[in-house]
Structures are given as C-alpha cells and as structure tokens.
Amino acid sequence: MNIQQGIALAFARADGSDPDMAGAWRFARPRDRDAGRGADCGRPLTSSVDNTGQRLAPHDFALNGAMAMLSDANRRAKAQAPPPPLSRKLALEASGDGVSLRIAGLRVTALPEGALWLAERETLVVSDLHLEKGTAFARAGHRLPPYDTRATLQRLAALMAALKPRRVITLGDTFHDRGAMGRLDPADRNLLSTIVDFTDWIWIEGNHDPEPPYGLGGRCEREVSVHGITFRHEPMSGEAAGEVSGHLHPCARVVSRGGSVRRRCFATNGARLVMPAFGAYAGGLNVRDPAFEPLFPNGCHALMLGRTRVYPAGPASLVDD
C-alpha cells in the first residue's frame, strides 16, 4: 500500500464513505499542484501581485484588489520610510500557486495551505496544528463545533497525497494541550497514525505539547537541521539566519481604497522565516506587533495566504490591526 492508498483508506473511514469510490480521491489533487511545485518555475515577482489572468475565488479577488490598489497613505509611507536593504534584496519567485525564496541557500516554497515545501529534500513542514483545540474550549464552557481536528488533518492528508513527501516536520504545538491525545476521535487518530506511518515523521516539541505523542510513531526532537536550515518551535530572539520557526501564528493586514484584508502569512526577511499556524482554530498575531520586533527589527515581508495563491506584501504595505 502506498501513501495515497493508505491516506485514502483512512480518509474514507473518517468520513464514512466507500474507499473504492472515485469520490474518495477528490481530496488528493484539489488543483494541479504538481505542475508547479516540484519544478523551478523561475518566474520573478516584480510586484506585490502576480497578475496571471487566472480566475480567482472571492477571497482572492478581494486580496488581489487590496494588494494591487495600495492606498495613498501607504505609498506616502514608502517614500517616508523606505524598506531596509535586506528587504529590497529579498528575491521571491512564483512557483505554481506558491511563492519560493531561499533560506540558507535552500529553495523553499510557501504554499497557500500554510505549509512549507522543500522540493529538493522532499520535505513538508507545518506548524501549530493545535489538534483538539475545539474540545479544549468545550471543556472550558465555550461551545465550538468539534471538527477542527478532522478539518486540519484532512488538509494535511491532501497535501501529502499530492506532494508525496519523504519527510514531514511538525514545528510544535501539534496538540493543543497534554490531554488532547486522549480526546482524539478514533477515526481522526487512525488518519493521523496512517499519515505518520508513511513518512519519516519528526515531531518538534512545542510549548503546548512538550512531551512526545504516545502510540503514533515518528520521532520527537527539540530542533532539527536540514541542509543548513534549523527548524524549531519558538524563534530565537535577535539574528538567527537559517531559522524556520512557528509559535507566533503570524498574520498580516493590507489596506486599499476598497477596504482591508487580514490573512495568515509567512513572515520573512530572507534570512529567517516564521510559519503561519496550520490548525483550523489557531488564531493569528499581526506581524507589526512588538513580539516580532526582536526577530525583524527592520520589518518583514508577509507572504499572505489566499484561497488558491500566496500574495507577497512588502514591509511598507503592512498596517496595524
């Protein structure tokens, strides 16, 4: 059984469908990702929006408009406070529906699902899944639909079926708390166990889940290095070239004459990168919050997540909440 067959079976068990039906594979390729993700498209981004003429979903149309129609106030801000040299030198390239850049010399691609793809190393990276956050809130008296774990795992399974990674790294806070494993629905646990079994799975310790999960396989590390990139949960304060981290759940907001858009994002200055939260119920912190200043004293680029594409926004385009 290969990874796609295993995921399809676990996925079908989770939603009660027949695994032999063609519909069980509808999640595997929601778009033709493979055409652009494994290859080096080499198409430089010369503006905040890459106008390809592709039809956009309503969310993307709003974000596209916001990025294309920066307000006069933002343009004045650019003139008054030009981006630092590092930001001007940041080289971004469109890569399928994602955006690629180099961290520590290795090409990495930010995907609209909120994952990072290292094609040269066949490695998929996600951060802050916060599984069972819904049930944790329910126990505290806040009634939320208890389906966030399944939605998060199905999105991850879909990515794995499409990209076929050899290695998966989860950058901590995979589980919302230490009791989350015991609250997993059996079908969700089966799906998680299946996707872990088919790869070299690395659990990075997080502040919400400092202990390794039991009975799921994989291996637990405080941090791990891949081709000069160090993957850890909490970013180090100060300069940390080659670091990819999570923990802060970055979001960004841009404004145009037609309104504003706030989306989850990757935050980067070209030397380091902070991942967006992957979990369905995970919140977000604006990259202009003081918590990001020790990491990006000169500001950062935000690679904002649209429904089907990633949209880069420079430091001068970003505004407070």
Side-chain angles (χ1 to χ4, degrees):
M1 183 182 294
N2 62 31
I3 185 171
Q4 289 183 317
Q5 291 169 334
I7 290 174
L9 181 58
F11 193 85
R13 287 172 178 167
D15 66 12
S17 65
D18 181 354
D20 293 327
M21 294 176 61
W25 284 95
R26 68 185 181 276
F27 72 93
R29 293 176 68 87
R31 295 181 304 282
D32 186 14
R33 295 188 182 93
D34 290 348
R37 290 190 179 167
D40 183 357
C41 295
R43 184 155 45 87
L45 291 174
T46 56
S47 64
S48 295
V49 178
D50 178 30
N51 296 312
T52 64
Q54 296 177 352
R55 186 174 182 177
L56 301 176
H59 307 65
D60 292 339
F61 184 79
L63 184 54
N64 196 36
M67 300 301 297
M69 300 172 60
L70 289 173
S71 66
D72 291 338
N74 284 336
R75 284 193 288 268
R76 286 196 297 271
K78 283 185 179 180
Q80 295 170 1
L86 180 59
S87 296
R88 285 200 297 268
K89 293 179 181 178
L90 182 60
L92 302 175
E93 293 182 349
S95 180
D97 48 14
V99 170
S100 294
L101 68 156
R102 292 190 178 274
I103 301 290
L106 182 65
R107 180 187 173 94
V108 301
T109 302
L111 304 179
E113 292 86 352
L116 195 69
W117 176 233
L118 285 60
E120 298 173 26
R121 293 294 179 269
E122 300 177 88
T123 298
L124 184 67
V125 187
V126 291
S127 185
D128 296 276
L129 276 64
H130 285 272
L131 301 178
E132 294 303 307
K133 183 174 183 177
T135 56
F137 272 58
R139 290 162 66 93
H142 305 288
R143 298 298 177 183
L144 293 173
Y147 308 117
D148 56 306
T149 293
R150 185 160 303 176
T152 300
L153 290 178
Q154 287 178 348
R155 287 171 48 232
L156 180 54
L159 268 176
M160 292 178 62
L163 297 173
K164 306 177 186 65
R166 181 176 56 85
R167 180 193 297 119
V168 173
I169 302 174
T170 61
L171 289 186
D173 286 0
T174 302
F175 297 94
H176 187 63
D177 55 54
R178 298 189 184 194
M181 277 287 295
R183 300 195 304 273
L184 277 175
D185 182 275
D188 296 335
R189 184 186 179 99
N190 180 65
L191 178 55
L192 179 56
S193 179
T194 298
I195 61 179
V196 169
D197 285 346
F198 277 98
T199 62
D200 174 17
W201 191 284
I202 302 174
W203 311 92
I204 300 296
E205 299 174 8
N207 58 298
H208 281 254
D209 54 358
E211 299 173 353
Y214 52 88
L216 286 176
R219 55 192 172 97
C220 188
E221 304 283 354
R222 182 173 297 277
E223 60 183 45
V224 66
S225 294
V226 177
H227 195 76
I229 300 179
T230 300
F231 295 93
R232 60 171 61 99
H233 178 61
E234 295 191 36
M236 294 180 60
S237 183
E239 294 186 8
E243 178 190 80
V244 172
S245 59
H247 184 59
L248 292 176
H249 301 202
C251 286
R253 180 170 175 254
V254 294
V255 177
S256 74
R257 287 189 292 272
S260 68
V261 176
R262 189 181 192 273
R263 304 301 287 248
R264 298 186 192 193
C265 71
F266 298 82
T268 184
N269 61 359
R272 71 193 309 174
L273 182 143
V274 181
M275 298 272 297
F278 193 84
Y281 279 171
L285 182 67
N286 194 305
V287 295
R288 289 175 58 87
D289 187 272
F292 287 91
E293 289 181 5
L295 313 182
F296 307 112
N298 295 318
C300 67
H301 278 70
L303 308 181
M304 301 175 68
L305 309 184
R307 175 170 297 221
T308 61
R309 294 177 54 203
V310 175
Y311 295 82
S317 304
L318 306 176
V319 298
D320 298 332
D321 289 331

